[in-house]
């Protein structure tokens, strides 16, 4: 399950001609840590996700898509229920 929005991040990396090593340098972690993030072994915090989004020049729509994916996947990873919901992101202070 994609708990870090990796599919969206990967698409942004490709479009911006960046790679996982660039993200490792940005976040001050090893390339192996990026692999763990990619596999969902480690959850990115909101500040790291926002830093990645700024670095990759994500549009507000791309940001919302990735954050929605992260929230839904983290929530449903723990849920054994068959309930499905749609999460809407509303930014505070017009951010």
């Amino acid at each position: 399950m994609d708990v870090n929005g990796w599919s969206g991040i990967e698409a942004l990396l490709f479009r911006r001609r960046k790679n996982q090593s660039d993200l490792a340098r940005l976040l001050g972690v090893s390339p192996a840590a990026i692999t763990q993030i990619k596999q969902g072994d480690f959850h990115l915090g909101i500040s790291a996700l926002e830093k990645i989004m700024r670095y990759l020049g994500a549009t507000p729509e791309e940001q919302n898509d990735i954050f929605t994916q992260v929230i839904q996947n983290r929530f449903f990873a723990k849920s054994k229920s068959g309930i499905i919901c749609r999460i809407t992101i509303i930014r505070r202070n017009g951010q």
Side-chain angles (χ1 to χ4, degrees), residues 31-42:
I34 297 297
T35 299
Q36 290 178 316
I37 290 166
K38 180 179 178 178
Q39 294 172 343
D41 297 336
F42 175 78

Side-chain angles (χ1 to χ4, degrees), residues 1-11 13 19-21 23 27 29-44 49 52 69 73-74:
M1 186 161 287
D2 190 359
V3 296
N4 287 312
W6 189 259
S7 58
I9 292 170
E10 194 168 46
L13 284 169
N19 59 44
Q20 290 180 217
S21 295
L23 284 187
L27 299 176
V29 299
S30 70
I34 297 297
T35 299
Q36 290 178 316
I37 290 166
K38 180 179 178 178
Q39 294 172 343
D41 297 336
F42 175 78
H43 288 194
L44 287 170
L49 282 165
I52 291 169
Q69 180 183 24
N73 286 337
R74 288 183 186 182

